[in-house]
Each structure stands twice: as C-alpha cells, then as structure tokens.
Amino acid sequence: MAKGLLFLAAAASLTGSTFAACTPADSKTYDYIVVGSGAGGIVVADKLSEAGKSVLLLERGPPSTGKFNGTQKPSWLSGTNLTRYDVPGLFNQIWADGVPSCPDTGVQAGCVLGGGVAVNSALYWKPHPDDWDVNFPTGWKSTDMAKYTDSVFSRIPGTYIPSKDGKLYLQQAYDTVSKGLDSAGFKYVVANDAPTSKNMSYAHPAFYIANGERHGPLRSYLETAYARSNFALYTDSNVRRVVRTGGHVTGVEVQCNGGNGHSGTINVTPGTGRVILAAGTFGTARLLFRSGIGPTDILNVVKGSSTDGSTMISTDQWINLPVGSNVNDHVGTDIQISHPNVVNYDFYGAWSNPVSADKDAYLNKRSGALTVVAPNLGPIAWTMVNGTDGKVRHIQWQMRVEGRSNTAMTITQYLGMGTTSRGKIDIQANMNTRVVTAPYLRDAADKQAAIDGLEAMRGYLSKISGVSWITPTASQTSQAFINSVPATVASRNSNHWVGSATIGSDDGRTGGKAVVDLDTKVYGTDNLFVVDASIFPGITTGNPSAAIFIAAEKAADRILALAAPAQGRRFKA
Ligand SMILES: Cc1cc2nc3c(=O)[nH]c(=O)nc-3n(C[C@H](O)[C@H](O)[C@H](O)COP(=O)(O)OP(=O)(O)OC[C@H]3O[C@@H](n4cnc5c(N)ncnc54)[C@H](O)[C@@H]3O)c2cc1C
Ligand SMILES: *[C@@H]1O[C@H](CO)[C@@H](O)[C@H](O)[C@H]1NC(C)=O
Ligand SMILES: *[C@@H]1O[C@H](CO)[C@@H](O)[C@H](O)[C@H]1NC(C)=O
Ligand SMILES: *[C@@H]1O[C@H](CO)[C@@H](O)[C@H](O)[C@H]1NC(C)=O
Ligand SMILES: *[C@@H]1O[C@H](CO)[C@@H](O)[C@H](O)[C@H]1NC(C)=O
C-alpha cells in the first residue's frame, strides 16, 4: 500500500552516540542473548526463559506501551496508564508523525519495545496451512506447527469485537461492502475459526486487542518473561554486531541509544551460550552484514565504511551466505471505491481533539469508536488465483475507510502466498539498509495473478448497489491499472517484509538459498541463530505476525533440543 515512507527527519545516528545516563555493561553473562523485541524476539525470549535459561532481551528503541512504562502519548492520555500504542483509534498516528520509525532501515518499521507488534494494526488470524506447506522446509509443515498454533492462540486469542461492551462500532462501510460480497457468492467466516477458508470468503477483521487495548506478545509473552528472575530486558540498547571467532559467537557489542540504554560488550555463558538475532528482516540483515556474514560484495561495503571498517572481523573469517537475497513482501495495490453509506471518522483528529463522548467511553469503559483500529478496517476478504505457471496465489483484500472523499474506501489487494518474485536488500556505507531490488511482480505469472485477481474483484464489488469507482476508473482495464502502479517500495510496500535469512536445508555457502538451517542456526556458526520474519522463505497468505509468533515457539523448541556446542570446538583465527 502506498501508505508512506515517513521518516524522522532529525533522527540521530546510532553510531557513536554517547548519552550521560548510559549504563556500562557489567560482567554478567547469559545463556541466551536475544537481539530485538519484535514479533519473533519476545516469543523466543519468553520460551527460553520459561525453560529456565538466563535470557537477556536487547531492544534498540524506547518502551512503547503503558504497561512497560512507555511515555509517548497525546495530552488527553496524560495521567492514564495508556500510550499511543495502546489505544486502537490512535494506531494511525504513525502515518501522521512518522514516530516511531527506524531511520536507518529504508522502510517503515517500529524501533520501539515490541517492534512491529507495538506499531502495527494488530490484524491477526491463523495462518493458512499453505503458508507452511508451500513455503517452509521439512519439519516446518502445517502439521508440525499445529501445536504451536494452539499455544499462540491460547496466549493471544484475538477478537473481532475490540470494544469491551461487546458492540461493533462504525460498521457502515463493513455493512455496505459485505452485502455486495454476499451477493457475489462470498462466504462469511469468523477468521480464526476458519483458517482454511481463504477462497471467496470474508470476515470481520480480528485483532490482538483485549480490554480495548493493544494486546499481543507485549501483553502476554513479554509479561510472563519479565516476571522471571532469569530474564532481563534492556531498552534503548542497540546491538552493533556479534563478537565471534570463526563460527563461535561470544557476545554482542551494544551501543547506548539514550534513555536507559546500556553500552559495552555483553557476553554469553562461555562455551554453551547462544545469540539469537530477532531484529526484523532489515535489522537482522544489518547485524549479519556488520558481523561479517553475507555476500562478499556487501561485506566489502561494511569493510570500506568509516564506522565499521577498522573494527570489522577479518576477511578470512567472513561467512559467505546469501543474506538479503530472497526477500519478499505482500504486493500491495490500492483500489478505491465510494458509496454514499460510507462514513468517515476523523481518527487523525482524535490525536489532539477526540470527540468528547468517544474519549469518555474509551477512558471510562474501554468502549466505543476509539476501540476501532484506525482507519476503520474491514471487511477483509480472500480470493485465490490459479497462476499461469500452475501455482496458486492467495490474495487478501483489506478494506479501510480512507480515500479521496469522505465516502471513499481504499481496498488493498495483498498478493501473497505463492508469489515467486523475490527482491534483494543490502547495506550502504552509512550502515543504512535499503531495498536494491523490490520484490514486486518481477515474475509474469505474479503479475497476471494481480491482474486476474483485480478483474474478478471489480466484478464482485460492482454488485454493491450504488457503488462508484474512483480507481481504477470504469474505463481502465485491470491490466492497464496494475501496470500503471510502479512496482516500487514507494508504491507497493505492504510492511510485511520477510526472507533476508531464509530457512532451509540448502546451505547458502554452497549455492543454496538458505542462511539458517532447520534449527534456525546460521550456517557456518555453532551458536548464532535467527528467529524472526527473516527466516520466512516466502510471504504468508495474510498479515504475517501470527505466523512469526508460531515460528518463534517452534524455533525455541528446536534450539532447546540442540546439544550445546562442545567446549573447545571454537574456531581459531
Ligand atoms: C506499519 C505496520 C503495520 C503492520 N500491520 C500488521 C498487522 O496489522 N498485522 C500483522 O500481522 N502484521 C503487521 N505488520 C507486520 C508485522 O508487524 C511484522 O511482520 C513483524 O513485526 C515482524 O516481526 P520481526 O520479529 O521480524 O521484527 P520486528 O517486529 O520489526 O522487530 C524487530 C525489533 O528489533 C529491534 N532492533 C532492530 N535492530 C536492532 C539492533 N541492532 N539492536 C537491538 N534491537 C534492534 C527493532 O527496534 C524491533 O523492535 C505491520 C508492520 C508495520 C511496520
Ligand atoms: C491500565 O489500568 C487498567 C485498570 O487497572 C487495566 O485494566 C489496564 O490493563 C491497564 N492498561 C495498561 C496498558 O497498563
Ligand atoms: C516500570 O516502572 C515500574 C515502577 O517504577 C518498575 O517497577 C518496572 O520495572 C518498570 N518496567 C520496565 C519495563 O521498565
Ligand atoms: C477459488 O475459487 C474460485 C471461484 O470459485 C475457483 O474457480 C478456484 O478454483 C478456487 N481456487 C482454488 C485454488 O481453490
Ligand atoms: C485451481 O487450482 C486448484 C488447485 O490446484 C484446482 O482444484 C482448481 O480446479 C483450479 N481452478 C481452476 C478454475 O482451474
């Protein structure tokens, strides 16, 4: 979706900053250091600490939600235990002020405690079985993931009725469109009761919201981890790179990023300790590059940089893996319709000047319009397209009340599971990651699927009586429209990036695509792992975070089952 690339114009560089309040690293060591507190990092850190291991979770950004002492909020929330990240009606604000973002990442992401799961729309449903069966290798198929799916959904049930009074609010657009979908033959489902019904079906959007507040891993896995004495969390602490000798990692270098940050080298338990990278598709790739792991041409950029050149691990210890070469995202194409029944709610206005009755209903009862995730999402519909190459593609249609007029709706076509196009990311001399090749519609069958899917949806939506088309216009062909939207990050970004450190048995050191093995261990290392969206070999059917939580539980089990690296097996330089 063309929802934009807003960056903090004056964001401080992370490299070399010093802050008075920083705490120097002490000599304590940890069985596991997990880098990044997003969808993957929180879940894996909780599971490892539940198994009795000592775990340090490092997050570069500040606290976000109220429960973890976040402070970012509009004035009407002052004196409450809530921040902008808790209140569904304020989730939109990131598109207005660009806070929080990761200024060195090249796409929108959340560099705060919780990462993407603190800043996203909290859309949440069980993965379709093909998300595992088509994309993932042996051992990671849908039957292998079933018990982790149950576990995730018992801890984070989700709901499609976010208001505590049990009522659905602002349903005008939902009601209008769902009538059209009904007459076009779509089947209404409750998304999380029907994970396999993803062709010609639609649902109310489900969210990880509970008690009218953002829930998800921050209100489940992180709370249980945080209550354990063998778990520690440092926010405002940016990891620069892992410290390794050959394939053995001894710790991480941390740079204080303000607030309560820490700095210095923090080590894992000698011999048996492990480091898990969970810094997101871009953040994990950056850490691997800065640690001398990746394609040689990209590592040479790090070596040539003023920040890392003189301290980078020597070339004879580089591990040549295709980090960043298999990235994917949903292909987002926005279409717009309007209908006289659609009513727009001013969620942006709710930041500084909420409707007073809605504010009171929210603050006093966690009910009403401000429990609706801005900008009023839904319905969500799913279709499938049989590709001209014989491969099935899944499409999620995500509708929201926003557009060129007060009665407009934007509908994003997310072309997902089954796409074969892939992109590439790398790092620049200033240590910023960037997309070098966008993963969108590079393959002819992917493009045809976007066109065929759109053509069909135009027919379905035209069954809504009184609908008008804004884009595509009635006279524009679906092919001309799909071709008119550039296949660039600026126009198609869906914020669902995956795949920079793909899992697989095809070892990337010898020509395969995989960066991590089936235990999520980085090839060529004995104690470095990746547990986040980076390991996904392909994009999911719908919003990815549920699948990332499930994969992280699975990964924790596999990592805990591995024998510790033998003492003395350390590579010598
Ligand atoms: C605006 C937006 C809306 C979205 N909407 C939805 C949605 O509604 N539903 C859904 O399922 N998905 C949604 N997504 C996608 C989803 O949030 C991501 O797929 C998911 O969060 C990725 O998980 P991750 O663990 O790979 O990384 P992230 O969640 O990005 O977490 C990475 C964490 O690592 C930290 N980090 C990075 N580098 C370092 C470092 N060097 N040192 C220390 N810490 C570091 C980051 O600050 C961040 O907290 C959305 C994403 C965005 C950006
Ligand atoms: C805020 O306090 C209320 C009432 O005690 C509680 O139910 C809620 O979970 C808290 N929310 C946060 C984000 O801490
Ligand atoms: C939040 O503040 C409380 C009270 O000062 C403190 O006990 C708790 O540890 C803090 N939590 C975090 C995540 O910093
Ligand atoms: C999806 O539904 C359409 C319309 O009913 C049907 O033609 C198509 O075969 C279905 N696709 C798959 C993969 O089941
Ligand atoms: C699409 O593919 C599915 C699965 O391969 C198949 O069952 C279905 O019949 C196909 N539909 C059409 C319209 O060819």
Side-chain angles (χ1 to χ4, degrees):
M1 85 168 89
K3 264 194 169 175
L5 300 170
L6 286 165
F7 299 104
L8 277 176
S13 158
L14 288 170
T15 13
S17 319
T18 49
F19 295 86
C22 292
T23 312
D26 59 30
S27 56
K28 200 169 168 346
T29 62
Y30 297 87
D31 296 334
Y32 288 89
I33 295 176
V34 178
V35 183
S37 69
I42 289 177
V43 174
V44 78
D46 179 54
K47 297 308 287 182
L48 296 170
S49 64
E50 183 183 56
K53 307 295 179 185
S54 61
V55 177
L56 172 63
L57 178 60
L58 292 171
E59 168 54 49
R60 68 184 262 181
S64 52
T65 52
K67 186 83 188 185
F68 285 93
N69 301 343
T71 55
Q72 296 172 2
K73 57 177 80 183
S75 59
W76 66 273
L77 290 180
S78 64
T80 71
N81 62 356
L82 303 165
T83 71
R84 59 188 289 168
Y85 305 104
D86 294 303
V87 182
L90 298 178
F91 290 0
N92 235 8
Q93 186 63 17
I94 57 168
W95 306 114
D97 62 14
V99 176
S101 83
C102 311
D104 51 7
T105 296
V107 300
Q108 180 69 268
C111 278
V112 289
L113 183 64
V117 299
V119 308
N120 69 20
S121 309
L123 287 162
Y124 178 62
W125 31 85
K126 283 183 190 147
H128 186 279
D130 286 355
D131 292 355
W132 309 113
D133 295 339
V134 174
N135 287 335
F136 274 78
T138 309
W140 292 74
K141 300 297 184 185
S142 57
T143 50
D144 304 307
M145 306 310 273
K147 75 172 193 189
Y148 305 104
T149 307
D150 291 346
S151 170
V152 164
F153 277 78
S154 72
R155 301 209 59 189
I156 308 173
T159 180
Y160 69 87
I161 308 178
S163 181
K164 212 177 159 185
D165 62 7
K167 293 186 192 142
L168 286 162
Y169 286 83
L170 309 177
Q171 291 294 291
Q172 302 90 345
Y174 178 92
D175 291 342
T176 305
V177 174
S178 60
K179 277 192 203 104
L181 294 175
D182 286 334
S183 46
F186 279 69
K187 181 180 164 205
Y188 171 76
V189 295
V190 172
N192 282 329
D193 295 346
T196 57
S197 296
K198 290 282 188 290
N199 191 17
M200 300 294 289
S201 62
Y202 76 95
H204 285 285
F207 303 99
Y208 32 83
I209 290 175
N211 187 33
E213 301 168 1
R214 183 187 295 274
H215 185 256
L218 286 160
R219 297 301 296 273
S220 51
Y221 294 86
L222 191 59
E223 289 188 1
T224 48
Y226 198 72
R228 293 186 187 107
S229 58
N230 56 327
F231 175 87
L233 167 67
Y234 295 169
T235 53
D236 302 304
S237 301
N238 182 60
V239 174
R240 178 172 176 245
R241 59 175 179 168
V242 303
V243 182
R244 66 180 174 93
T245 306
H248 191 78
V249 171
T250 54
V252 297
E253 270 180 30
V254 184
Q255 294 170 312
C256 174
N257 192 21
N260 299 306
H262 291 240
S263 59
T265 299
I266 307 180
N267 291 319
V268 294
T269 310
T272 55
R274 291 163 170 160
V275 169
I276 297 181
L277 303 180
T281 295
F282 290 83
T284 289
R286 178 187 0 254
L287 280 161
L288 290 167
F289 296 147
R290 296 183 83 178
S291 306
I293 300 171
T296 306
D297 59 331
I298 298 180
L299 300 187
N300 275 325
V301 173
V302 178
K303 192 181 167 206
S305 73
S306 59
T307 55
D308 283 39
S310 58
T311 51
M312 194 187 179
I313 191 165
S314 61
T315 50
D316 60 341
Q317 303 202 26
W318 288 5
I319 301 173
N320 184 237
L321 282 167
V323 176
S325 304
N326 190 44
V327 297
N328 204 3
D329 183 20
H330 281 109
V331 185
T333 306
D334 283 352
I335 60 176
Q336 262 190 56
I337 58 175
S338 75
H339 193 283
N341 293 355
V342 170
V343 176
N344 185 282
Y345 185 90
D346 187 7
F347 286 104
Y348 289 113
W351 176 261
S352 48
N353 190 20
V355 174
S356 148
D358 294 342
K359 178 182 83 174
D360 293 344
Y362 188 82
L363 290 178
N364 302 329
K365 300 186 210 136
R366 296 291 189 271
S367 293
L370 294 173
T371 63
V372 175
V373 170
N376 195 1
L377 305 166
I380 310 293
W382 294 276
T383 58
M384 291 185 188
V385 175
N386 289 24
T388 51
D389 57 1
K391 295 186 172 121
V392 173
R393 269 95 172 151
H394 295 188
I395 298 178
Q396 175 169 301
W397 301 88
Q398 194 167 302
M399 329 215 180
R400 62 181 195 267
V401 182
E402 189 170 63
R404 286 194 206 153
S405 76
N406 271 336
T407 55
M409 290 186 77
T410 298
I411 303 171
T412 304
Q413 177 200 57
Y414 285 123
L415 176 65
M417 206 300 301
T419 56
T420 58
S421 305
R422 292 292 183 275
K424 185 172 155 69
I425 65 176
D426 74 359
I427 195 166
Q428 297 168 271
N430 59 5
M431 299 299 102
N432 287 7
T433 51
R434 65 169 174 187
V435 178
V436 216
T437 307
Y440 309 117
L441 306 182
R442 298 170 53 73
D443 165 80
D446 287 345
K447 184 174 266 193
Q448 194 59 45
I451 295 166
D452 293 349
L454 174 60
E455 182 67 14
M457 184 51 74
R458 290 172 80 181
Y460 306 139
L461 294 177
S462 297
K463 298 206 186 293
I464 304 168
S465 118
V467 73
S468 334
W469 282 90
I470 301 174
T471 50
T473 58
S475 62
Q476 200 171 13
T477 67
S478 296
Q479 177 170 22
F481 181 71
I482 292 288
N483 284 330
S484 74
V485 183
T488 57
V489 174
S491 298
R492 304 276 193 172
N493 181 21
S494 299
N495 300 306
H496 297 162
W497 294 86
V498 297
S500 59
T502 301
I503 189 171
S505 51
D506 52 333
D507 185 339
R509 290 172 301 173
T510 50
K513 280 206 193 82
V515 171
V516 302
D517 69 15
L518 301 189
D519 295 314
T520 71
K521 187 166 63 156
V522 177
Y523 280 108
T525 73
D526 58 40
N527 62 345
L528 180 63
F529 297 80
V530 175
V531 181
D532 62 15
S534 309
I535 68 169
F536 279 57
I539 191 69
T540 45
T541 300
N543 314 68
S545 64
I548 301 169
F549 309 154
I550 295 164
E553 278 219 18
K554 168 85 181 170
D557 256 14
R558 290 197 67 133
I559 293 168
L560 287 164
L562 281 176
Q567 292 268 14
R569 212 181 114 204
R570 298 181 186 196
F571 252 173
K572 295 273 186 278

